[in-house]
Amino acid sequence: MLPPDTRVVDYEPGSDQEYWDILHACFGNVYGDLEFWRRKQVHRPGFDPRDVKRVYVGQVPAACYAASTASLCLGRELFVPASIEGEVAVLPEFRGKGLTLLAHAAMGEELYARGLALRVGFAARALHARFYRRRFGHVAIPTANTRYRKKLRESAQLAQVALACADSFRRRPLARRLVRRAPLTVLLRFQGYSPVMVRLEQDSARLLAPREGVPDVILSLANQAVRAASGSWKARLARFPLCVMRGQVRLRGMTGVVRRLV
Amino acid sequence: VDLSFRQFAEGDESALIELWNRAHAQYVGHFRKTVERWRWIILQWHDVAPSSIVIAMLAGRMSAYGVLDNDGTVLEFAVEPELEPEQKRAVCTALVEKLEERGRALRCETLSFVAPAFDRTVEVVLEEEGYLAESFSHFGPSLGILNPALLMGAVLAHPDHGLPESWTRRIVIDTPPGGYLVSPQSRTLIDVDHGRATVVDASSAVPENVSWRFEVDMTTLTDLIFGLTSLHEAVRKGRLTLAGGCTKSDANTLFSALIVKGDWYTPPSDWF
């Protein structure tokens, strides 16, 4: 299966560009630029030239593989020496020929000799099933990791859109009744963006700073609810109760709104 | 609340690491932080500027910190767990806002946190601040055992993983590779003396006076130690066999002691 004249080569000064070219050809800028790579690998405290490997087929550098070492926490004050492996890349024309398996095996023997107990890699689950489990026999550990994201640059635009909508709403008879006696402060929470606070008054609508006022009404919209708000009005009407039942649309302070109306 | 913020200064490393360890004491799956390793990851590899390491000082004490990389990922985020819930929430909110300010200054499109799912305060604060929570189950650690004797020895020596004091016996675990591509050890000897275990590699030896003998392939052993399958399931599927008069209950006691317990949380600064 392995092409003839295939060999695994450790890092040597001056081979950085060659290594990074393989990574770049396979993943683009995912692993950053060459300087970023150097800081990660070559400038790492305790870097060992055996940590960074290239696989040559004849004279062509066809694949790469890297590892570092650290102590993995497995409990209160329970640490075991482990490797952290990654940067597995094979040039497209050399895939399916067992180059990664060769590099993984070579690295494994060395890491074992260096006294490590575990091998850890970070991978997408799909890749894990196809590769790490099937080829290496490794297990995927379920984690408690949750990712929280928010757009920073678009928040200002969103505030302007919210203000325009509020201003348009203010002109309607229902809104006029709502703000007849006192201004109405609405806090809009669009998932993924900064909250926007708008104050509706009889003759204007204006944005408030985050803690400038106490909201009378809080409207929280999950991402799914924002997506459900597209399409024809019939489709939107059909989706709305579903969004409410799923908690994707939440409205707090409705008692006060009803009181204003009656 | 006497809350103020400052940026990282040389010499803060140890205090930050201690704070991170206290805040995440209940989790496993992260790598040990040393000053040298922390400085390399944060200051050198990710090239984080001191102004992107925001430290919250509550009544003069370091009570939280966040590290923002140049792409808008919060590499580390820790809040003192001993704070009162209301204080913790206030500190957390203010710190998130400071990190956002910094993110805007760095012209980041988005800000992204990866936090443990069970940290309710962080979850509530981030949701209130408008963050979208996403399941992160599609990405995580893949793990294999390189040296079963070393791993089992470390686990069984830990006070939370002890064997019964009444146990004095020699146990052999034969470990064919299973799905493993690399498996340097094929046999492990666990010598138990009044509950204290000594674990050695016995691949090239033929241990004598063995009380119990197990055969389990490396893939199943990994599943067992990391809690991804049960002993019952492994025996039922014929992937683990018992010999030498060992009952299922005894086997259960042994493998329960070997199981790594705890929720896994790996901060982005540990990703490789």
Side-chain angles (χ1 to χ4, degrees):
Chain A
M1 191 175 161
L2 272 175
D5 194 18
T6 302
R7 63 193 195 284
V8 181
V9 178
D10 292 339
Y11 173 81
E12 58 227 8
S15 63
D16 312 28
Q17 183 73 49
E18 199 173 273
Y19 184 101
W20 186 80
D21 284 345
I22 304 170
L23 267 186
H24 190 73
C26 297
F27 298 108
N29 283 330
V30 169
Y31 287 96
D33 58 14
L34 181 59
E35 220 23 69
F36 185 83
W37 181 84
R38 280 197 183 115
R39 294 199 302 266
K40 175 185 176 183
Q41 300 289 1
V42 187
H43 299 162
R44 183 174 62 238
F47 170 75
D48 187 314
R50 292 174 295 174
D51 290 347
V52 167
K53 296 195 184 304
R54 286 157 295 148
V55 182
Y56 271 79
V57 177
Q59 296 303 310
V60 184
C64 63
Y65 196 105
S68 76
T69 56
S71 294
L72 180 68
C73 175
L74 295 180
R76 189 174 45 87
E77 290 304 313
L78 171 56
F79 288 91
V80 294
S83 66
I84 318 166
E85 297 172 39
E87 295 187 358
V88 184
V90 183
L91 293 178
E93 58 271 34
F94 293 101
R95 286 179 192 162
K97 298 182 194 299
L99 304 190
T100 310
L101 304 186
L102 181 72
H104 177 85
M107 187 71 91
E109 282 168 20
E110 284 173 12
L111 295 172
Y112 177 74
R114 284 157 72 179
L116 302 183
L118 289 169
R119 308 182 78 167
V120 182
F122 292 95
R125 289 297 181 232
L127 182 67
H128 169 86
R130 221 173 44 233
F131 212 76
Y132 285 81
R133 180 72 178 182
R134 226 174 83 192
R135 301 287 190 171
F136 305 158
H138 290 185
V139 298
I141 307 287
T143 67
N145 292 9
T146 306
R147 183 161 67 184
Y148 300 88
R149 277 201 295 184
K150 175 172 163 177
K151 286 195 193 291
L152 292 182
R153 301 276 292 273
E154 278 90 344
S155 292
Q157 292 166 13
L158 180 79
Q160 292 307 318
V161 172
L163 179 64
C165 291
D167 198 46
S168 153
F169 175 67
R170 181 186 62 79
R171 295 165 205 277
R172 298 188 179 189
L174 177 76
R176 285 176 182 280
R177 267 180 81 183
L178 275 173
V179 297
R180 193 172 48 198
R181 291 198 186 134
L184 183 76
T185 308
V186 183
L187 179 66
L188 298 164
R189 281 196 183 133
F190 295 100
Q191 212 177 20
Y193 297 89
S194 293
V196 177
M197 188 129 59
V198 183
R199 175 166 288 172
L200 298 174
E201 290 166 355
Q202 277 197 346
D203 50 0
S204 69
R206 67 184 180 92
L207 288 173
L208 298 187
R211 298 195 200 324
E212 200 181 327
V214 179
D216 300 303
V217 179
I218 302 175
L219 173 64
S220 307
L221 289 172
N223 234 16
Q224 297 92 326
V226 177
R227 280 205 297 271
S230 60
S232 70
W233 69 269
K234 279 182 188 171
R236 278 184 276 169
L237 203 64
R239 286 189 211 119
F240 184 72
L242 212 59
C243 290
V244 174
M245 279 194 296
R246 286 175 178 159
Q248 293 161 355
V249 176
R250 280 181 289 171
L251 201 54
R252 278 169 57 190
M254 278 307 287
T255 321
V257 170
V258 172
R259 201 177 292 141
R260 281 171 186 245
L261 289 174
V262 296
Chain B
V1 182
D2 177 14
L3 182 64
S4 61
F5 290 90
R6 68 171 175 85
Q7 67 175 49
F8 169 80
E10 294 283 329
D12 281 335
E13 299 90 337
S14 299
L16 295 180
I17 291 170
E18 278 171 29
L19 175 58
W20 197 93
N21 286 339
R22 278 200 304 279
H24 299 91
Q26 59 172 310
Y27 299 101
V28 299
H30 50 85
F31 292 93
R32 189 199 287 273
K33 294 190 191 308
T34 60
V35 170
E36 190 185 36
R37 185 173 157 77
W38 189 90
R39 286 188 64 87
W40 162 62
I41 292 176
I42 305 295
L43 304 176
Q44 289 169 25
W45 172 15
H46 288 281
D47 195 24
V48 173
S51 51
S52 294
I53 304 171
V54 185
I55 300 172
M57 305 294 291
L58 184 66
R61 279 191 59 203
M62 193 182 281
S63 57
Y65 81 98
V67 177
L68 180 67
D69 79 358
N70 300 320
D71 300 327
T73 300
V74 177
L75 295 173
E76 285 180 6
F77 186 83
V79 185
E80 175 61 60
E82 298 297 317
L83 294 179
E84 295 293 318
E86 278 310 306
Q87 269 185 333
K88 190 176 173 187
R89 200 167 154 166
V91 169
C92 203
T93 305
L95 180 58
V96 168
E97 286 172 2
K98 283 283 170 195
L99 288 168
E100 284 180 15
E101 255 176 47
R102 183 64 197 150
R104 288 192 186 93
L106 289 170
R107 308 186 67 78
C108 299
E109 292 283 337
T110 57
L111 205 70
S112 148
F113 285 79
V114 175
F118 309 113
D119 195 332
R120 187 75 187 126
T121 310
V122 172
E123 184 190 3
V124 167
V125 165
L126 290 177
E127 284 189 1
E128 278 180 0
E129 291 291 316
Y131 283 79
L132 174 68
E134 299 166 322
S135 161
F136 208 53
S137 56
H138 65 282
F139 179 84
S142 288
L143 191 144
I145 300 174
L146 201 52
N147 187 330
L150 184 59
L151 175 67
M152 288 193 257
V155 171
L156 291 176
H158 192 268
D160 293 350
H161 295 261
L163 292 169
E165 275 191 23
S166 59
W167 278 25
T168 296
R169 59 205 66 183
R170 302 190 95 199
I171 304 164
V172 163
I173 305 180
D174 286 313
T175 48
Y180 267 51
L181 183 69
V182 178
S183 180
Q185 293 181 3
S186 57
R187 182 178 297 135
T188 305
L189 171 67
I190 307 176
D191 220 332
V192 189
D193 182 14
H194 293 95
R196 302 192 80 173
T198 311
V199 187
V200 292
D201 168 31
S203 303
S204 53
V206 183
E208 292 174 352
N209 303 323
V210 173
S211 319
W212 298 335
R213 187 179 280 274
F214 298 93
E215 185 174 322
V216 55
D217 66 77
M218 283 299 295
T219 308
T220 308
L221 183 69
T222 316
D223 283 343
L224 277 168
I225 291 179
F226 292 97
L228 299 172
T229 192
S230 65
L231 182 77
H232 174 75
E233 194 70 6
V235 172
R236 193 179 64 78
K237 287 184 175 169
R239 295 169 69 185
L240 186 146
T241 54
L242 301 79
C246 175
T247 64
K248 267 194 181 175
S249 163
D250 292 331
N252 206 30
T253 306
L254 174 66
F255 283 97
S256 297
L258 284 171
I259 290 177
V260 170
K261 302 169 187 88
D263 297 310
W264 283 65
Y265 168 62
T266 316
S269 59
D270 276 348
W271 300 348
F272 186 68

